[in-house]
Amino acid sequence: MKISYSWLKNYININVEPQKISTILTDSGLEVEGFEKQQTVKGGLEGLVIGEVVEKTQHPNADKLSLTKVNIGREELLSIVCGAPNVAQGQKVVVATIGTTLYSGEDSFKIKKSKIRGELSEGMICAEDEIGLGQSHDGIMVLAADAKIGTPAKEYFNIEDDYIYEIGLTPNRADATGHIGVARDVVAVLNANDSSISELIKPSINNFKIDNTDNVIEVIVEDSTLCPRYSGITLSGIEVKDSPDWLKNRLLSIGLTPINNIVDVTNFVLHETGQPLHAFDADKITTKKVVVKTLTDKTKFTTLDDKERELSSEDLMICNDSEGMCIAGVFGGSKSGVTKSTKSVFLESAYFNPVAIRKTAKRHGLNTDASFRFERGCDPNITIYTLKRAITLMKEIAGGEISSDIIDIYPTPVQNFEVTFSYANCEKIIGENIAPAVIKNILKALEIEIVEETDKDLKLSIPPFKVDVQREIDVIEEVLRVYGYNTVKLPSTMNSAVVYRDNIDKEQVTNSISEQLVANGFHEMMSNSLTKSSYYNEKNTLVEVANPLSKELDVLRQSMLFNGLEVIQYNQNRKSPDLKLFEFGKTYIKQESKFDETNYLSLFISGNYQEENWNGNKNQSSFYHLKGFVDSIINRYGLQRLKLVSKETELDLLAYGICYEINNKELLNFGKVDQKFQKQFDINQEVFYAQINYDVLLELLPYTKKLQYKEVPKYPSVRRDLALLIDTSINYSQIEAIALKQERKLLKNIGLFDVYEGKNLEAGKKSYAISFVFQDENKTLTENQIEATMSKLVKTYEKELGAKLR
């Protein structure tokens, strides 16, 4: 949500610096995510001054140029060559001095001291289009005779720099969806210690007056649950035209495009008060009747964007006697809107059910300024005020007469929230004794009424626009955010208890693994558990979101893979293809009548394995790099000492890979991501992915022996190599398992250091070169022992695998 600094100042009676406002807003819970300076006129008219042409003569070398002497309030007159046909002695003009930068769209040029056709020119007399104040280029801009020489143009034209705040408004802050609501928080912070410093200034509506009742529109609300309050009024005899500059500039400052004076007023009041309004062409309301109701399911309705939409029977509509005119609180219709030919308007100000508006907006994929506010919960008691404010402005800039009484259908008024606030509880929660006077100042500034008070507590009446302040703890939070989290002093002592943990500390293990991966060049990523259902073929097992924010976030993820691929795609598209990523997260699956939730650790590597440098070659990430990272985690926690079984993965997300199981429980899968998924995300390089079942890993940790330190062996190790000719169907894990089974005591390490397939080998055969490292920790091994062991291994390989020595 965008807030204009110059607009905001209209509601605060003291001058506060823009940067201080930014700090106040963030500290009080309205986080400023962006803050930038904005100029109404590009360049801000810097370097431009008001001058007087005191002399004009013909240029000796050019028929269409004039030589002028211009007084800009300095000791010496400026010599300026001017080509405008209307320049004359005695005129007050705008002068761009040497060094001034003028802008034309995206282009700019700097005024320099120069000679034009042999004559000196020390500046430029400007036309309105050359300084961004109009479109005319018929001649120079001639000012009023009373314009003061030497006055900066910025001051003469009252050009103000504005500052725009981009506020990340949280869903609970329905009270701050307009400039007045934001100003309320600023005033509350400023007045916390002294209520006389500032006050909230709300625009007056004293000029509101009903002229006649010649154009009365009847209103019928059929469903007061969906529409608890509906107010309206008519304005007749108007002229629809462009808005005045002040109104256009207000809307442009926050990124809105001016449309016409009527629509612009509704947008202005919406962003001023937070209350959406809607203007109907009164002549298009057949039989002068507005009906607030739902229509039958699948009714066709064309909205302002000329799209035909299919309505739900749950969508609340504003209708005339024969058809729908507007999707209530969301979007207007194409037939009932205000156009240049409109002569009278019916202005609506209503309070709609927030849940119903949100469902309708999401159902139709619409996110409008109106729905943004209605679905958070507008103030039901402000409809009349905003109606008077808007209709008065419309009458002022569009003419006409207010031609009906205010229609207000409000069968069950929304009551204030009644809360008892205890000073003691406030001190207990906040951890600091805030003076009662400060607390009362804050509550008053937030428009929370103190009904009764004692030395110990306050009885409060909280207005409905504070939709999230309904309990004592909510009031304490309001006091704290205005008082300032940073204002609360840290205690001089801190108490803690030593707690014995009998079980595995999940957080400690998580931090340990994270540190290990980061030390190996990984970056941790955090992604949304919500994802889109189109990623998955099997729909029956998906956990669907009841009211999804969008079609892109309609289910909970079943796999960590797709989130990682989205991140890789995002980085690849921004020229950062070399990635090592990890994430701790959950997956969700529906199993008949129950739901399963599983914790996973996912790893992704793609692109170059290490950064390019002068003394190293590019080394692409591979399956074996990923295997190394996976095994390092397994080995760190001693899981390899359990009955770890390695087999080919059955995970259909991978083109190939390995699965580790322990005690028939699947611990992890890792391998190369299937090409079809890479193609789906337009990823043009190989991606390797590992998913570790974190719940199983934590479950197994108590069964692993703690790491122990032992003396470096005194006796040497011995290595022997074998070159085995085996069938291509045999994998390395079978060779490893046989070796460990035959000789577990002396065999310390086994490794595969060469694989060969091809020329000079039989079809269906391959050659594995295997290393075996033996060591006896109590004595030196003899040649006879080693040969006996190797001979035993060879025979077993020949028998069980059909292997031959090469």
Side-chain angles (χ1 to χ4, degrees):
M1 184 182 75
K2 289 186 177 181
I3 294 293
S4 160
Y5 170 70
S6 63
W7 192 348
L8 190 68
K9 287 196 298 181
N10 291 336
Y11 314 110
I12 305 173
N13 66 341
I14 64 169
N15 192 29
V16 185
E17 292 298 315
Q19 188 60 57
K20 184 176 180 181
I21 292 282
S22 179
T23 302
I24 288 173
L25 293 177
T26 296
D27 289 349
S28 61
L30 296 174
E31 184 180 0
V32 176
E33 297 177 338
F35 174 61
E36 62 179 12
K37 185 176 181 179
Q38 186 182 79
Q39 294 175 320
T40 308
V41 176
K42 193 168 184 179
L45 302 187
E46 295 291 344
L48 296 165
V49 295
I50 307 305
E52 181 181 12
V53 180
V54 296
E55 182 182 317
K56 174 204 169 186
T57 59
Q58 180 64 44
H59 193 295
N61 303 317
D63 294 339
K64 294 185 178 181
L65 297 179
S66 302
L67 302 181
T68 65
K69 296 287 186 181
V70 183
N71 178 14
I72 62 168
R74 298 179 183 174
E75 291 183 4
E76 296 182 0
L77 300 178
L78 297 182
S79 297
I80 298 177
V81 177
C82 181
N86 66 327
V87 65
Q89 184 177 347
Q91 289 175 336
K92 298 290 180 67
V93 293
V94 179
V95 180
T97 56
I98 293 172
T100 299
T101 300
L102 298 181
Y103 297 88
S104 176
E106 296 300 318
D107 299 325
S108 65
F109 66 95
K110 195 171 186 178
I111 302 298
K112 298 178 181 178
K113 186 176 181 179
S114 60
K115 283 192 175 184
I116 300 176
R117 295 289 184 92
E119 296 295 329
L120 178 67
S121 187
E122 299 174 299
M124 175 177 169
I125 303 175
C126 301
E128 65 178 43
D129 67 324
E130 292 169 330
I131 58 176
L133 293 179
Q135 302 298 321
S136 175
H137 195 70
D138 294 337
I140 60 170
M141 195 174 190
V142 180
L143 308 179
D146 60 355
K148 187 177 179 181
I149 295 170
T151 303
K154 179 178 181 179
E155 182 180 322
Y156 178 83
F157 291 106
N158 195 26
I159 299 298
E160 285 188 355
D161 290 335
D162 199 0
Y163 296 84
I164 303 301
Y165 307 98
E166 184 72 45
I167 294 178
L169 194 69
T170 51
N172 64 316
R173 292 305 308 275
D175 60 309
T177 55
H179 282 73
I180 290 177
V182 173
R184 183 189 295 114
D185 270 16
V186 174
V187 169
V189 172
L190 294 174
N191 284 8
N193 293 304
D194 185 352
S195 61
S196 65
I197 291 177
S198 180
E199 75 176 288
L200 182 66
I201 303 170
K202 293 183 179 180
S204 172
I205 53 173
N206 292 336
N207 291 335
F208 173 80
K209 180 175 71 72
I210 296 170
D211 298 305
N212 56 64
T213 55
D214 296 341
N215 194 4
V216 177
I217 305 290
E218 181 187 0
V219 176
I220 299 171
V221 177
E222 292 189 0
D223 192 332
S224 59
T225 301
L226 296 181
C227 179
R229 187 174 193 179
Y230 192 93
S231 309
I233 197 169
T234 57
L235 181 67
S236 302
I238 62 171
E239 180 186 0
V240 179
K241 56 185 179 180
D242 285 348
S243 296
D245 288 342
W246 72 265
L247 180 52
K248 287 182 180 178
N249 290 335
R250 283 284 181 252
L251 298 180
L252 287 169
S253 70
I254 57 172
L256 296 182
T257 302
I259 298 170
N260 59 54
N261 50 2
I262 299 299
V263 175
D264 290 351
V265 166
T266 63
N267 285 331
F268 173 82
V269 174
L270 179 150
H271 287 277
E272 179 180 64
T273 64
Q275 171 65 33
L277 304 169
H278 192 78
F280 298 92
D281 187 326
D283 295 330
K284 296 176 182 176
I285 302 175
T286 58
T287 67
K288 300 295 182 183
K289 184 183 292 185
V290 168
V291 184
V292 184
K293 63 179 181 179
T294 56
L295 298 178
T296 55
D297 200 37
K298 297 186 178 181
T299 298
K300 305 293 184 183
F301 179 71
T302 303
T303 47
L304 274 172
D305 55 1
D306 290 325
K307 288 185 179 179
E308 186 178 75
R309 302 177 188 274
E310 194 173 85
L311 300 176
S312 163
S313 58
E314 297 180 356
D315 294 333
L316 185 66
M317 297 291 294
I318 311 300
C319 307
N320 57 31
D321 199 36
S322 57
E323 62 181 349
M325 297 190 296
C326 172
I327 302 177
V330 181
F331 209 24
S334 61
K335 295 181 181 180
S336 60
V338 174
T339 65
K340 285 188 176 182
S341 61
T342 298
K343 297 303 177 186
S344 61
V345 294
F346 174 73
L347 184 63
E348 164 195 286
S349 180
Y351 172 69
F352 298 116
N353 183 291
V355 175
I357 296 300
R358 181 180 180 276
K359 287 182 177 180
T360 294
K362 300 309 175 188
R363 189 178 296 121
H364 295 289
L366 293 169
N367 182 21
T368 61
D369 283 338
S371 67
F372 176 83
R373 287 157 177 80
F374 276 127
E375 65 189 30
R376 280 164 168 74
C378 292
D379 183 1
N381 296 329
I382 203 177
T383 61
I384 299 299
Y385 171 82
T386 54
L387 205 62
K388 290 180 177 180
R389 169 70 168 153
I391 210 75
T392 304
L393 282 173
M394 286 180 184
K395 182 178 177 181
E396 179 184 319
I397 66 176
E401 295 181 333
I402 299 175
S403 50
S404 76
D405 291 325
I406 291 177
I407 302 146
D408 187 28
I409 300 175
Y410 196 16
T412 310
V414 178
Q415 301 300 316
N416 286 7
F417 309 117
E418 305 297 329
V419 172
T420 300
F421 174 88
S422 163
Y423 291 124
N425 287 342
C426 183
E427 180 180 357
K428 179 181 177 182
I429 296 297
I430 294 176
E432 185 167 315
N433 183 12
I434 302 175
V438 172
I439 292 175
K440 286 188 279 187
N441 285 344
I442 291 172
L443 296 175
K444 179 183 176 183
L446 294 176
E447 301 184 39
I448 296 175
E449 182 185 356
I450 300 172
V451 180
E452 293 181 26
E453 65 175 295
T454 66
D455 293 339
K456 294 182 179 180
D457 54 39
L458 302 170
K459 287 189 176 180
L460 306 175
S461 181
I462 302 168
F465 67 77
K466 287 283 185 184
V467 293
D468 70 323
V469 184
Q470 302 182 24
R471 305 167 299 165
E472 182 188 27
I473 190 66
D474 300 327
V475 178
I476 293 172
E477 183 183 356
E478 288 290 282
V479 170
L480 177 57
R481 72 175 183 81
V482 174
Y483 179 73
Y485 291 94
N486 295 332
T487 309
V488 177
K489 299 178 181 65
L490 290 173
S492 57
T493 60
M494 184 173 289
N495 300 321
S496 64
V498 178
V499 179
Y500 173 73
R501 287 183 179 270
D502 193 25
N503 297 321
I504 297 295
D505 187 339
K506 179 182 176 181
E507 293 301 318
Q508 185 177 15
V509 175
T510 300
N511 290 336
S512 178
I513 292 176
S514 298
E515 290 169 0
Q516 177 182 349
L517 291 170
V518 169
N520 281 280
F522 278 77
H523 290 86
E524 184 172 10
M525 65 182 228
M526 296 182 184
S527 61
N528 198 341
S529 293
L530 294 173
T531 187
K532 54 184 176 183
S533 55
S534 60
Y535 285 153
Y536 303 96
N537 294 324
E538 184 55 58
K539 307 296 183 185
N540 295 332
T541 58
L542 291 175
V543 180
E544 297 178 339
V545 179
N547 294 301
L549 293 170
S550 70
K551 293 179 181 178
E552 305 295 309
L553 301 169
D554 59 343
V555 296
L556 291 169
R557 65 186 173 196
Q558 282 192 357
S559 169
M560 306 281 283
L561 175 66
F562 300 111
N563 297 74
L565 293 180
E566 288 175 347
V567 173
I568 291 171
Q569 179 193 44
Y570 182 89
N571 281 273
Q572 175 190 276
N573 292 345
R574 286 155 183 78
K575 308 302 181 185
S576 296
D578 305 327
L579 300 167
K580 296 191 190 80
L581 305 168
F582 74 95
E583 179 181 19
F584 291 93
K586 293 181 178 180
T587 63
Y588 310 83
I589 190 169
K590 183 168 67 175
Q591 302 274 14
E592 296 179 355
S593 60
K594 66 175 184 176
F595 298 95
D596 285 340
E597 185 177 309
T598 308
N599 288 285
Y600 276 97
L601 164 61
S602 62
L603 278 66
F604 298 85
I605 62 173
S606 185
N608 290 328
Y609 178 68
Q610 59 189 29
E611 292 183 5
E612 188 176 0
N613 58 71
W614 66 273
N615 65 349
N617 297 322
K618 287 186 178 179
N619 187 6
Q620 289 288 316
S621 296
S622 70
F623 169 82
Y624 298 102
H625 289 131
L626 181 62
K627 184 178 186 299
F629 293 127
V630 168
D631 287 346
S632 68
I633 295 173
I634 297 300
N635 295 338
R636 176 169 187 164
Y637 291 98
L639 294 172
Q640 80 280 6
R641 291 192 291 271
L642 301 177
K643 293 181 180 179
L644 185 67
V645 176
S646 173
K647 66 177 187 178
E648 189 174 345
T649 184
E650 296 178 0
L651 193 65
D652 59 4
L653 302 173
L654 302 175
Y656 60 82
I658 291 176
C659 171
Y660 287 169
E661 288 184 351
I662 296 179
N663 299 331
N664 294 321
K665 290 184 178 180
E666 192 174 276
L667 175 61
L668 63 91
N669 285 274
F670 64 94
K672 179 185 176 298
V673 174
D674 196 295
Q675 183 66 31
K676 66 182 179 183
F677 297 116
Q678 288 182 210
K679 186 176 181 181
Q680 182 179 344
F681 287 86
D682 294 323
I683 297 173
N684 53 25
Q685 59 192 22
E686 291 185 329
V687 179
F688 299 93
Y689 166 67
Q691 62 175 39
I692 300 174
N693 189 318
Y694 202 52
D695 291 331
V696 172
L697 186 146
L698 293 173
E699 183 183 326
L700 292 170
L701 288 185
Y703 300 101
T704 61
K705 294 181 180 179
K706 291 184 178 179
L707 295 178
Q708 295 179 343
Y709 297 93
K710 59 182 180 180
E711 187 180 356
V712 176
K714 297 179 180 179
Y715 301 98
S717 60
V718 178
R719 170 172 166 161
R720 290 289 186 269
D721 297 339
L722 285 180
L724 297 175
L725 185 65
I726 55 178
D727 293 338
T728 54
S729 60
I730 295 170
N731 57 48
Y732 168 73
S733 61
Q734 293 173 270
I735 295 173
E736 184 182 45
I738 290 172
L740 293 173
K741 182 179 179 181
Q742 290 295 318
E743 184 53 73
R744 184 170 291 275
K745 181 180 178 182
L746 298 180
L747 183 59
K748 300 301 180 182
N749 189 35
I750 178 173
L752 175 65
F753 64 88
D754 187 48
V755 178
Y756 177 73
E757 291 182 67
K759 190 176 179 181
N760 298 328
L761 292 184
E762 300 175 37
K765 297 290 185 179
K766 61 183 177 181
S767 173
Y768 271 10
I770 314 291
S771 65
F772 301 87
V773 177
F774 301 98
Q775 187 177 43
D776 191 328
E777 296 178 0
N778 299 313
K779 61 182 178 180
T780 302
L781 288 171
T782 65
E783 188 66 27
N784 290 337
Q785 283 180 292
I786 297 168
E787 287 301 323
T789 302
M790 291 299 295
S791 177
K792 186 178 178 183
L793 283 172
V794 170
K795 289 180 180 178
T796 306
Y797 286 142
E798 289 174 346
K799 180 180 179 182
E800 296 189 16
L801 303 179
K804 296 180 182 179
L805 289 179
R806 290 191 66 198

